[in-house]
Amino acid sequence: MTGQLAEAPERTADGTDLLTVGVEEEFLLVDPHTGAAVPAVDLVLEQVPPELRGQVEREFQTSQIEIGSPPGLELRSIRHSLGVLRSALADAAERAGVHLLAIGTGPVDGPVPPVVDKPRFDRMVERFRLLVPGPGNNGMHVHVGVPDPEMGVQVLNHVRPWLPTLHAVTTNSPFARSEDTGYASWRSVEWERWPSVAPTPYLESHEHYERLIRQLIASGVMLDEGMLYWYARLSAKYPTVEIRIGDVCPSVDDSVLVAALVRAMVATAIEDVEAGRPALRTDHHLLVGAHWRAAHDGLEGDGVDVTTGGLRPAWELLDRFVERMRPALERHGDWTEVADLLGGLRRHGTGAARQRAVFARTGRLSDVVQDVARQTRGTHAP
């Protein structure tokens, strides 16, 4: 985790809480000629400007690198931070002779780069062996400030049914081992091999949350609290809820959209808790099915309506989600920008849809890699 990612909520003069938001993004380092993942993280880190090194660090594999934005109340500050960090990191990667890709996992077949030499990672490999993913499993984690851990746990309960829709928005890994996997987010499929990856359970209290962590560590499913890979959790370091369901987004525009939607979702959940509105106690296995469907279809197919168990067009579920969050989006001053970004997403599709569109035009994964590299550096979808 890089830097400080969010702070406690800030109260306005009229008593309304405005929530800070911070973003972590993980990227893949690839050979510019073949598109295969390469173990180049140390070479790239050497090229990062000194003033930005506190916001850039290694991830699990030597083919990955991570950034973290400072917390902010305004989307423009998040946009600026991510734009500066992505551009600087893309430049550093090029100086090191590689490309930086904002992509869920490696599309091109090749050797699996080694894990970063770190005692904790060595213990993970020793215990879990072949669960280690392929060329690099790259996600986006959004931190939103909450008043206290008890409220944070109640927020986790309230956001559970909404997360499959966000999962669909972020799908950005349709290719793996040089072929189309049939999934919009193959990263999700690979990631779920780890035993602590799952929808967040319904929690009775913060004490219940902490007791489950102790039990999971005792069972051997996790080495430590850092391996709590639920789709939403409390940060162990900051006063935040951390939403960690998505593939890394292809462009800054996509990342800003997801950050705004996540903040609005958390703000809406806090309102519901304070108003005494109960969380929807969605069945765990229905949530598992909804997340599987989101990873499979993205926004280009159907999603599971967790209120009925039936299938609905994924965009219909997203429209309903956005309408539910609109008051919080407006209160944070995000609605106009979010509406514009949603229009772009509707025109161009998810990252997975964009990758498939390039491949359909050219038949070459090398073109897909180049297009993702361009989006990674830039701000706008194609």
Side-chain angles (χ1 to χ4, degrees):
M1 183 178 293
T2 53
Q4 182 176 343
L5 291 163
E7 300 165 336
E10 181 171 308
R11 180 146 292 187
T12 62
D14 64 0
T16 302
D17 280 342
L18 297 180
L19 307 183
T20 60
V21 60
V23 175
E24 294 174 282
E25 295 187 310
E26 299 160 353
F27 303 98
L28 189 68
L29 303 172
V30 302
D31 185 296
H33 306 293
T34 68
V38 290
V41 64
D42 288 334
L43 294 174
V44 175
L45 282 171
E46 290 175 0
Q47 299 297 325
V48 173
E51 66 272 16
L52 297 179
R53 288 179 185 170
Q55 295 171 262
V56 181
E57 67 179 17
R58 297 169 184 84
E59 234 295 318
F60 186 63
Q61 285 171 270
T62 52
S63 52
Q64 296 175 281
I65 197 163
E66 179 183 20
I67 63 172
S69 75
L73 284 171
E74 297 185 354
L75 286 188
R76 63 183 179 183
S77 67
I78 300 300
R79 176 182 292 282
H80 174 75
S81 296
L82 293 179
V84 168
L85 286 166
R86 280 183 175 226
S87 179
L89 205 54
D91 287 343
E94 290 186 8
R95 288 193 293 271
V98 298
H99 277 351
L100 183 78
L101 298 188
I103 196 168
T105 193
V108 176
D109 200 12
V112 176
V115 171
V116 168
D117 185 12
K118 186 176 178 180
R120 179 174 178 267
F121 292 165
D122 292 341
R123 293 196 302 273
M124 290 171 67
V125 172
E126 181 181 2
R127 178 174 297 180
F128 298 103
R129 308 293 294 189
L130 291 178
L131 293 186
V132 174
N137 199 287
N138 304 302
M140 173 188 183
H141 307 153
V142 182
H143 288 253
V144 181
V146 291
D148 56 72
E150 286 294 347
M151 175 61 79
V153 165
Q154 295 308 310
V155 167
L156 296 180
N157 288 339
H158 278 260
V159 304
R160 292 170 74 241
W162 296 333
L163 292 181
T165 296
L166 285 174
H167 194 165
V169 171
T170 65
T171 49
N172 186 35
S173 51
F175 296 102
R177 302 180 183 91
S178 299
E179 62 181 72
D180 193 318
T181 65
Y183 284 79
S185 174
W186 185 248
R187 180 203 65 88
S188 301
V189 178
E190 289 190 325
W191 186 232
E192 287 168 4
R193 293 184 296 180
W194 291 91
S196 56
V197 174
T200 308
Y202 190 91
L203 300 157
E204 300 300 333
S205 63
H206 185 237
E207 191 281 328
H208 181 203
Y209 178 90
E210 293 188 315
R211 184 171 72 250
L212 275 176
I213 290 173
R214 293 193 298 270
Q215 291 169 338
L216 290 171
I217 292 172
S219 76
V221 165
M222 308 188 316
L223 293 179
D224 50 38
E225 187 173 351
M227 283 192 69
L228 186 71
Y229 296 144
W230 293 343
Y231 298 152
R233 69 183 187 185
L234 303 183
S235 171
K237 296 178 66 176
Y238 307 115
T240 66
V241 165
E242 181 185 1
I243 307 300
R244 43 187 299 113
I245 184 54
D247 291 356
V248 64
C249 291
S251 74
V252 172
D253 274 355
D254 298 304
S255 298
V256 169
L257 172 61
V258 172
L261 292 177
V262 167
R263 174 165 64 180
M265 177 182 67
V266 172
T268 301
I270 290 174
E271 290 176 20
D272 286 346
V273 172
E274 292 177 339
R277 291 186 284 269
L280 180 65
R281 297 192 66 154
T282 309
D283 182 84
H284 171 80
H285 291 287
L286 181 59
L287 280 180
V288 169
H291 281 288
W292 176 86
R293 191 79 196 203
H296 186 274
D297 285 24
L299 286 177
E300 284 65 48
D302 289 329
V304 176
D305 183 341
V306 297
T307 64
T308 66
L311 291 180
R312 306 282 288 274
W315 262 103
E316 182 179 320
L317 294 175
L318 178 56
D319 287 340
R320 189 170 71 187
F321 173 95
V322 171
E323 191 58 31
R324 178 74 174 85
M325 309 308 159
R326 181 166 177 171
L329 289 166
E330 291 178 337
R331 186 169 69 252
H332 284 85
D334 297 344
W335 171 248
T336 299
E337 183 165 5
V338 164
D340 181 61
L341 293 172
L342 282 168
L345 182 66
R346 193 181 294 273
R347 289 191 300 274
H348 306 301
T350 61
R354 293 173 217 166
Q355 289 183 48
R356 284 174 167 149
V358 172
F359 189 75
R361 288 196 305 270
T362 73
R364 294 188 298 269
L365 277 177
S366 59
D367 291 333
V368 173
V369 169
Q370 293 300 321
D371 189 68
V372 173
R374 179 187 59 78
Q375 291 186 68
T376 302
R377 178 187 289 278
T379 59
H380 295 283

